[in-house]
């Protein structure tokens, strides 16, 4: 799946780049390097297999092989999560977020009707999960986010790709 989606989702500018991993080993290595669960949780493997979301890497263009941020991305480019060392976000994420907005615009033009259908299904699954997390009052128990509701953290991270539904070419394809 990673090889199949590379050309659609990879993008770079002078400062940042979105890199699609070559496979599972890259995701495991990234998770270990940044000390978070992306490489060790079955949840992500299941989502990738169903094409609900994909794990991608945000890199600095001048240091493309150094783990920077890990992204969880829905098929339309909606960013569910963006996390660095120990599941954190630093102040530099604001600059990177501007890049990610530009990336979303670029990939919106690359999406197919199938991508949009998968994205719609992904959005429904995400919303159901958020409702359940809120209902169950799931609290984070470890790390710097300990004591916070998981749904609040996930909602704060969410970056919907509004460009994917505004593209005339995509509207015609759907």
């Amino acid at each position: 799946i990673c090889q199949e989606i590379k050309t659609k989702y990879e993008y770079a500018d002078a400062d940042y780049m979105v890199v699609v991993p070559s496979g599972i080993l890259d995701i495991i290595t990234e998770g270990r390097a940044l000390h978070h669960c992306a490489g060790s949780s079955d949840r992500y493997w299941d989502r990738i297999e169903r094409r609900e979301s994909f794990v991608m890497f945000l890199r600095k263009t001048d240091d493309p092989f150094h783990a920077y941020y890990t992204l969880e991305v829905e098929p339309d480019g909606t960013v569910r999560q963006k996390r660095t060392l120990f599941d954190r976000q630093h102040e530099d994420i604001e600059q990177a977020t501007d890049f990610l907005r530009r990336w979303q615009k670029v990939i919106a033009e690359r999406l197919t009707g199938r991508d949009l259908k998968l994205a719609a299904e992904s959005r429904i699954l995400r919303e159901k999960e958020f409702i359940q997390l809120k209902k169950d009052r799931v609290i984070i128990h470890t790390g710097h986010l300990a004591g916070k509701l998981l749904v609040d953290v996930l909602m704060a991270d969410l970056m919907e790709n509004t460009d994917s539904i505004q593209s005339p070419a995509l509207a015609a394809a759907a």
Side-chain angles (χ1 to χ4, degrees):
I1 293 172
C2 291
Q3 293 299 319
E4 181 184 313
I5 66 171
K6 252 183 189 308
T7 56
K8 186 176 297 182
Y9 294 101
E10 289 194 327
Y11 174 74
D13 71 7
D15 299 312
Y16 299 101
M17 58 196 313
V18 171
V19 176
V20 174
S22 295
I24 292 172
L25 184 58
D26 287 354
I27 298 170
I28 292 169
T29 302
E30 175 94 351
R32 288 180 180 160
L34 294 178
H35 305 282
H36 59 49
C37 67
S40 61
S41 174
D42 288 344
R43 170 183 299 121
Y44 299 106
W45 308 133
D46 293 342
R47 288 178 180 168
I48 291 168
E49 186 68 29
R50 289 189 311 262
R51 297 173 191 266
E52 176 185 341
S53 67
F54 308 109
V55 174
M56 298 179 195
F57 309 145
L58 177 66
R59 300 284 195 248
K60 291 188 176 180
T61 304
D62 62 359
D63 196 5
F65 301 106
H66 182 258
Y68 182 52
Y69 277 84
T70 306
L71 309 171
E72 181 185 9
V73 179
E74 293 179 5
D76 69 348
T78 290
V79 178
R80 284 191 183 183
Q81 296 186 72
K82 45 194 181 306
R83 295 286 157 179
T84 192
L85 277 167
F86 301 103
D87 236 2
R88 287 187 160 82
Q89 290 182 344
H90 299 292
E91 289 181 15
D92 62 354
I93 196 61
E94 293 306 317
Q95 285 181 322
T97 298
D98 291 341
F99 164 79
L100 289 171
R101 294 265 183 236
R102 291 190 304 277
W103 169 77
Q104 287 177 324
K105 287 179 185 297
V106 169
I107 67 157
E109 297 299 322
R110 300 177 184 172
L111 300 175
T112 65
R114 179 172 186 253
D115 297 323
L116 295 176
K117 183 176 184 228
L118 289 169
E121 293 167 2
S122 180
R123 186 176 305 107
I124 290 167
L125 292 170
R126 171 179 28 93
E127 289 170 357
K128 285 180 180 179
E129 180 184 12
F130 283 9
I131 289 166
Q132 192 65 48
L133 288 170
K134 191 171 191 164
K135 179 181 173 190
D136 294 345
R137 298 197 48 78
V138 175
I139 295 174
I140 299 169
H141 295 286
T142 60
H144 75 286
L145 298 170
K148 294 187 178 195
L149 287 175
L150 178 56
V151 69
D152 292 343
V153 172
L154 293 173
M155 287 178 72
D157 239 8
L158 189 65
M159 288 178 56
E160 293 272 6
N161 186 357
T162 55
D163 291 298
S164 68
I165 54 176
Q166 295 174 358
S167 168
L170 295 177

